[in-house]
Amino acid sequence: MLVLGIESSCDETGLALYCSQRGLLAHNIYSQVKLHKDFGGVVPELASRDHARKLLPLLEQLFAEADVARGDLEGIAYTAGPGLMGALLVGASFAKSLAWSLDIPAIGVHHMEGHLLAPMLESNPPAFPFVALLVSGGHTQLVAVEGVGRYQTLGESVDDAAGEAFDKTAKLLDLDYPGGPNLAALAETGDAVKFRFPRPMTDRPGLDFSFSGLKTFARNLIAAERGTAPLPSRPVMADIAAGFELAVAETLAIKCRRALVQTGMRRLVIAGGVSANKTLREVLSTALAKVDGELFYARQEFCTDNGAMIAYAGWRRLAAASFDVAANNHLDLAVEVRPRWPLDELPSIQESA
Ligand code: KG4
Ligand code: ZN
């Protein structure tokens, strides 16, 4: 089965072709970073318009790269939520119209399920069951995963998501949007133990997180260190960035280990933008080695938003669905998206071996 995947939930337009026999055939991505940079964050209306502008040229480029014709497509997967309403609607309308014109099924994919399954695109995919740590700009969640759609949330952030904490702290350090990768780059030159940030909520039982206090800690530290200047010196800012990053990584690692012990599972999958963070990967590998755990993650470009994860998750669901083309029940023309969509609400699927 050949499936086209379309991601447009936020500020990246991502497309990919996934073939059940040959794997990932091609993928491309257009990032709107430059468009939103001057505003210090994503402007939803600009994002929607840019998705509308880029989808068709990216699709043509994708077909050319994979040497595939649109008539070869057997299904289309698009991100149906969570995300920005307008941006989601652009992708959904595009996907549904194309599917209708080709008389093939279209399926709405949960963005976080896409992230969660992305490590399966790698050469050493994780087997079920596993614990997933989903860490993106909008989500921080620990999930027990028994299979596709068989998710149980074990814990989540009670305030900021990990990526959001990175972005907000980066702003305090006067770094450009997107803050996470820029803060991580600055942290590389810093001393992570010069300033000791707290490890929030690790001194009490449970698997929930809280990251908003780290941002406040950073704000106070910056105020204390800058003297009469607008900001501390670059080396001190690097130390603050490194201390913050290590605190996030160690806090996540403590909870991940706890989740493995609690569930009796030994595989940990990390997914979402923050899983691209090198310090987090290192801290987690060390923590997991102590409990004989195994760590899985996607290649860097598939940690952040991309079309490949949507094509893959869509394929898993399309392959398990039964569509009766003659009865024409394979294409529901209603364009529905869910800006908010709890992962636990997804139906599980019956997969043939
Ligand atoms: O999954 P993603 O691309 O989009 C959402 O679904 O939100 O995640 C984006 C988030 C942003 O907050 C970004 O700053 C963060 O992931 N991020 C990182 C890194 N790369 C992306 N945070 C820390 N270190 C990175 N290397
Ligand atoms: Zn994402």
Side-chain angles (χ1 to χ4, degrees):
M1 178 186 258
L2 180 64
V3 177
L4 166 68
I6 300 174
E7 157 62 33
S8 73
S9 66
C10 190
D11 58 346
E12 251 110 27
T13 323
L15 272 72
L17 287 166
Y18 186 83
C19 166
S20 48
Q21 281 93 38
R22 294 160 61 207
L24 191 65
L25 300 187
H27 62 97
N28 55 30
I29 189 137
Y30 175 79
S31 166
Q32 303 179 350
V33 163
K34 278 203 197 111
L35 179 71
H36 302 293
K37 205 172 172 175
D38 289 345
F39 303 96
V42 181
V43 183
E45 184 56 27
L46 294 182
S48 316
R49 286 166 192 260
D50 214 39
H51 286 306
R53 258 192 299 269
K54 291 297 180 323
L55 277 167
L56 208 48
L58 284 172
L59 183 67
E60 296 305 338
Q61 184 194 327
L62 191 76
F63 284 147
E65 204 178 301
D67 197 16
V68 160
R70 63 179 66 187
D72 298 334
L73 293 181
E74 290 162 276
I76 301 181
Y78 60 94
T79 305
L84 302 171
M85 172 73 106
L88 291 168
L89 280 171
V90 172
S93 325
F94 184 84
K96 287 247 170 162
S97 339
L98 184 59
W100 180 80
S101 74
L102 298 171
D103 200 19
I104 56 173
I107 190 162
V109 169
H110 191 295
H111 182 80
M112 297 313 290
E113 178 169 79
H115 276 305
L116 193 155
L117 297 177
M120 302 221 168
L121 289 162
E122 304 304 332
S123 51
N124 173 30
F128 297 119
F130 54 76
V131 169
L133 171 70
L134 303 178
V135 268
S136 69
H139 292 79
T140 298
Q141 262 178 300
L142 272 165
V143 186
V145 179
E146 299 279 351
V148 176
R150 296 173 62 198
Y151 309 131
Q152 192 203 341
T153 303
L154 303 170
E156 59 198 332
S157 180
V158 296
D159 42 52
D160 291 353
E164 193 179 354
F166 264 94
D167 295 339
K168 288 178 174 172
T169 305
K171 231 180 215 176
L172 295 172
L173 292 167
D174 201 31
L175 301 172
D176 275 345
Y177 151 88
N182 287 334
L183 188 149
L186 178 63
E188 274 186 33
T189 61
D191 174 359
V193 294
K194 173 139 176 245
F195 299 113
R196 167 97 191 159
F197 280 68
R199 274 56 176 158
M201 291 178 77
T202 53
D203 56 353
R204 60 181 102 159
L207 295 171
D208 284 339
F209 306 92
S210 165
F211 289 111
S212 67
L214 291 182
K215 165 194 70 194
T216 311
F217 192 88
R219 180 182 292 123
N220 294 339
L221 203 50
I222 291 167
E225 291 293 321
R226 72 169 186 231
T228 52
L231 283 171
S233 67
R234 189 85 181 162
V236 172
M237 298 229 288
D239 295 340
I240 295 174
F244 165 84
E245 182 181 56
L246 187 64
V248 174
E250 289 190 352
T251 304
L252 291 170
I254 291 167
K255 300 285 165 126
C256 284
R257 261 179 71 172
R258 238 183 239 179
L260 290 179
V261 171
Q262 185 178 310
T263 55
M265 294 179 185
R266 53 172 301 277
R267 282 179 286 268
L268 176 73
V269 165
I270 54 170
V274 183
S275 68
N277 186 274
K278 271 197 254 157
T279 302
L280 175 64
R281 291 176 174 196
E282 281 162 20
V283 169
L284 277 172
S285 329
T286 313
L288 259 60
K290 292 184 195 145
V291 289
D292 194 28
E294 211 181 339
L295 180 63
F296 297 85
Y297 43 75
R299 71 194 82 164
Q300 292 270 337
E301 62 182 326
F302 293 164
C303 288
T304 44
D305 293 349
N306 64 87
M309 67 184 196
I310 303 303
Y312 181 80
W315 164 66
R316 297 280 304 230
R317 286 191 171 271
L318 282 167
S322 51
F323 292 102
D324 182 350
V325 177
N328 209 24
N329 74 353
H330 60 301
L331 195 56
D332 166 11
L333 281 181
V335 177
E336 280 164 12
V337 296
R338 291 188 64 178
R340 289 180 185 277
W341 189 0
L343 190 64
D344 315 53
E345 286 183 13
L346 282 179
S348 62
I349 61 169
Q350 293 293 327
E351 290 187 283
S352 42

